Amino acid sequence: MTEKQQIKLVVFDWAGTTTDFGSQAPVDVFDRTFRQKGLVFTKDEINAPMGMEKKAHIKTMLSTERGRQLWQENYSRSWNEDDIEEVYQCFEANLRTVVAEYAKLIPGVKETVDKLREMGLKIGSTTGYTAEIMQYVLPVAKEQGYEPDCCVTPDVTEYSRPTPFMVFECMRRLNVFPPKLVVKAGDTVMDILEGKNAGAWSVGIIKGSSVVGLSEAEYNALSEAERKELHEKARKIYMEAGADYVIKDITELPEVITKINAELAK
């Protein structure tokens, strides 16, 4: 008798998905780091590659037409790989000082994870942060009641999103296969692509996301009409990236998994 096909593993992102409402820590630290180098980017420009490994994020920003222009204006030359490394080291140093302060759980995370565990699911996690940075985040999340079964960082797999290798590493560590029994849930286009490239189900979460890009206070201050407009914009971004499902709030995820299980049972 063959085993029933149903979701066995959910792989969450961190900042903007389970912790750090609006993914404010990396945005603030990127802003601070670039300003220290004499470069001023908008919040939207900083958010555009969010979800990537952070050195790749820096390189992506500086590879844009505006990034190249800002560097040329400040340094009278084009940037090189040594410059990328220097900016990255500055970013990491800045991040170490503040990342734990931003590790507050997004509302609904603990209750959702508890429900998923009751459903018999394993909980994995991937991130654009390094293992060193996650040492500051993991204990703070644990104090609040959230502790995934594994946390995979890009320095472990050598490749970050949108490659699937961090998801594959979660699957390896937790002995879950095939990929169609895995859900990847996150708050960036890179999260959606990571899941799709792994052959898993991809779910975009709107509330608290870097796609919306607002702090909790800013989000709560919105009118219903403003909130609805932002939700529709975020939904479109996720769907264009190939998301299988888009949910407003993380608490809707167990219901989505029930729907996916019904699909798998057909």
Side-chain angles (χ1 to χ4, degrees), residues 38 45 114 128 156 213 224 261:
E45 287 169 335
D114 288 347
V156 169
E224 265 316 306
N261 285 337

Side-chain angles (χ1 to χ4, degrees), residues 30-43:
F30 275 125
D31 182 53
R32 183 188 311 184
T33 301
F34 281 120
R35 285 177 186 274
Q36 286 170 350
K37 300 297 180 184
L39 312 174
V40 180
F41 288 95
T42 67
K43 195 171 182 180

Side-chain angles (χ1 to χ4, degrees), residues 1-265:
M1 187 175 176
T2 57
E3 188 180 353
K4 186 180 178 183
Q5 295 285 287
Q6 60 180 26
I7 297 301
K8 295 181 178 180
L9 168 65
V10 176
V11 179
F12 286 109
D13 174 49
W14 281 85
T17 300
T18 53
T19 61
D20 186 7
F21 195 108
S23 198
Q24 298 297 296
V27 174
D28 290 354
V29 175
F30 275 125
D31 182 53
R32 183 188 311 184
T33 301
F34 281 120
R35 285 177 186 274
Q36 286 170 350
K37 300 297 180 184
L39 312 174
V40 180
F41 288 95
T42 67
K43 195 171 182 180
D44 285 345
E45 287 169 335
I46 291 170
N47 261 322
M50 199 62 75
M52 298 179 79
E53 181 272 330
K54 303 314 175 193
K55 191 187 293 186
H57 186 132
I58 290 164
K59 190 170 185 177
T60 298
M61 286 182 64
L62 292 180
S63 296
T64 63
E65 185 178 344
R66 187 163 137 71
R68 290 193 295 267
Q69 181 185 346
L70 284 172
W71 192 274
Q72 185 71 38
E73 287 172 359
N74 277 270
Y75 297 98
S76 301
R77 61 174 177 82
S78 300
W79 55 264
N80 56 43
E81 292 298 326
D82 289 340
D83 297 320
I84 298 292
E85 182 63 32
E86 186 182 331
V87 175
Y88 172 70
Q89 291 303 328
C90 182
F91 173 86
E92 286 280 293
N94 286 332
L95 186 62
R96 281 186 211 103
T97 65
V98 301
V99 70
E101 298 169 24
Y102 285 90
K104 180 185 174 186
L105 291 190
I106 291 173
V109 168
K110 184 183 182 303
E111 296 81 356
T112 300
V113 170
D114 288 347
K115 190 163 185 179
L116 294 174
R117 289 198 187 281
E118 286 171 14
M119 292 167 68
L121 276 71
K122 296 176 180 179
I123 308 295
S125 66
T126 64
T127 177
Y129 290 156
T130 62
E132 183 197 355
I133 293 298
M134 288 308 295
Q135 289 177 3
Y136 300 96
V137 176
L138 289 164
V140 181
K142 185 178 179 179
E143 284 173 10
Q144 299 169 80
Y146 175 53
E147 185 179 21
D149 298 316
C150 72
C151 176
V152 178
T153 57
D155 48 315
V156 169
T157 59
E158 296 184 36
Y159 299 98
S160 183
R161 302 163 184 149
T163 73
F165 302 117
M166 290 194 291
V167 171
F168 289 160
E169 179 63 11
C170 284
M171 292 170 60
R172 187 192 69 80
R173 291 186 190 182
L174 300 176
N175 190 27
V176 173
F177 62 93
K180 70 175 181 179
L181 305 185
V182 178
V183 167
K184 174 68 216 295
D187 72 300
T188 68
V189 166
M190 288 297 155
D191 286 300
I192 302 302
L193 296 175
E194 178 184 35
K196 297 306 290 181
N197 288 334
W201 300 80
S202 280
V203 179
I205 304 172
I206 294 173
K207 189 174 178 182
S209 69
S210 66
V211 168
V212 173
L214 299 178
S215 69
E216 192 168 3
E218 289 169 334
Y219 180 83
N220 290 337
L222 295 175
S223 68
E224 265 316 306
E226 290 170 327
R227 206 171 287 178
K228 186 176 180 182
E229 186 181 342
L230 281 175
H231 287 181
E232 285 309 309
K233 182 181 174 185
R235 183 179 299 278
K236 185 178 179 185
I237 290 169
Y238 286 138
M239 294 305 291
E240 286 178 352
D244 297 292
Y245 290 89
V246 177
I247 55 179
K248 185 176 78 174
D249 193 293
I250 195 170
T251 56
E252 298 168 41
L253 189 57
E255 184 183 344
V256 165
I257 287 171
T258 299
K259 289 179 182 176
I260 294 173
N261 285 337
E263 287 273 322
L264 291 170

